[in-house]
Amino acid sequence: MAASCSKPPAPAVTREAFLPFDNLTGDASLDWIAQAAPRILERDLTGLPKTLPLAAAAIRDAYLQGATRLVHGYYEMRSGKLHFEIDVEDAAGHRMVQTVAEDGDFSEAMNRAARILSPDAQELPTPAAAVDAWGQGQYERAVMLDPDFGVAWLAWVEQIAASSNPDRVNEATETAERALARPGLRGPIDRARLELAAATLRQDDSARIAAMRKLVQLIPSDPSLLGTLAEIEMAARHFSDAARDFQAFTRAEPGNVAAKNTLGYAQAFAGDLDGARKSFEAYGQQPGQAINALDSAGEALFVNGKFDQAERAFLEAYQKDPAFMQATDLWKAAHARWLGGDLAGADRLMDQYLQARAKARDPLLSWRRANWLYETGRQEQAVQVLKTDLVGTDVTQPPQGATALIERQLQVWNNLASLPSDLATLEKDYRRSNPSSDGLVRVLYAEALVRAGRKDDARSLLKLWPVPEQNESPVQSLVYPKFIELRKELQP
């Protein structure tokens, strides 16, 4: 009795993969239907609350997307008419769960089939000639035949944008805007996708986010849209929004390990260190992620100026696995110790790091030592280390491949005025950069803002410390000296 009164669990989302149909007509001019038929079915079923249609070029792709059902079929000619046979197969048990047979006009037959697959399917109310043109890739003709054919407009925009000619980006943007100007454009999902395409082409982050939010609402069965929204918000540095949506995404897709790590960064960049700590702890419980979770937690603490805690996290990661990322956690710990006010202790950690790199026969060992000296305020010593290494002796010469980098490094240090300084260019580069590795461009952009008199804007860029990066750039050693100098200059 108790069992019969209990509330049944909510049904899971059915992930239906639509595969190309087989052309059994013997008429090659009808080959286009093989791709167009599943695309119509997928379109008609998109947006249903418990069904997630997936496009799959082959069965392998369907399984990679986690499909629970496979929709496949064939078409042939019977009595001069197209005949369609469509099978829905359980992906795990390999048994047929539904079969649909339809005859007649292509688009009408597919709309009828979609309603049989699900009574809530959204019909594609477009003239047959326009659908045929769309199915054959004649997108411009399709919208001429039906100017409110949203799917065809979207396909046309994507076709133009995919061209290798960069001049066609404007054409694709204008085409999307023409479509969106039509008040009768069908339907809401297709309109939202066009809005997203137009915003992406314009590089308009706010419009991209608004369009993605619409799609998340219109297609609630697809958690990947929520993940994409969170990624766009992260790239736009809307960290609180990104953290909220990454949290929702990880609840919907608990198997997405990378998202759990990114959630921690979003929370840290938003200033929620307690939330970040919990996220990284959960991330560290995933198989093989314990060390990376400590490293990520260290970076989260570092950017928020918690240098002593960051150092402990980096050192714990190093002690657990000294080979992790070529001992980079020692290098990060040295930076945390230095910025925490203990240069002598930082030097000891850096010596330990350099010893580890020497054992690994790092050809850039002296360059790394010089960079450390330069960024910690010992510029003359840094230059001397590189000049000595560049000249060499009769028995020692710079390792192969290091000479060019050493020469470039000395040129940069001797000519700091040659660094990028154009405000518009730096702003564009900053907007395109990854928040987790934007230190150099963020500092240069802030410096340009100060020169332009926009000190408040520059201050907002300097709230978070740059993540310690390790790369082979001759300008990387300038990040912290410039960051510290700008912060002092912008103090109230």
Side-chain angles (χ1 to χ4, degrees), residues 25-93:
T25 65
D27 184 351
S29 68
L30 298 176
D31 282 348
W32 60 271
I33 294 177
Q35 302 292 337
R39 287 169 66 193
I40 288 184
L41 294 176
E42 178 198 348
R43 187 267 179 198
D44 286 357
L45 295 169
T46 295
L48 302 186
K50 292 300 178 182
T51 300
L52 176 56
L54 306 166
I59 291 179
R60 181 188 66 174
D61 300 323
Y63 283 115
L64 288 173
Q65 295 180 79
T68 54
R69 288 186 177 183
L70 309 174
V71 182
H72 47 82
Y74 67 87
Y75 54 100
E76 60 186 3
M77 299 299 296
R78 292 187 183 179
S79 302
K81 294 182 179 180
L82 280 170
H83 173 79
F84 295 88
E85 291 281 345
I86 304 169
D87 294 323
V88 182
E89 178 184 348
D90 177 72

Side-chain angles (χ1 to χ4, degrees), residues 9 18 21-22 34 81 89 117 142 152 186 222 254 280 287 296 298 301 315 340 394 466 474:
F18 290 83
F21 286 15
D22 293 323
K81 294 182 179 180
E89 178 184 348
L117 292 173
R186 297 184 301 271
D222 190 354
F280 289 130
S296 297
L301 292 162
L315 290 178
D394 292 337

Side-chain angles (χ1 to χ4, degrees), residues 312-329:
R312 287 197 293 271
F314 291 138
L315 290 178
E316 185 178 353
Y318 174 73
Q319 289 161 4
K320 287 181 179 293
D321 185 1
F324 178 73
M325 295 182 65
Q326 299 179 330
T328 301
D329 279 305

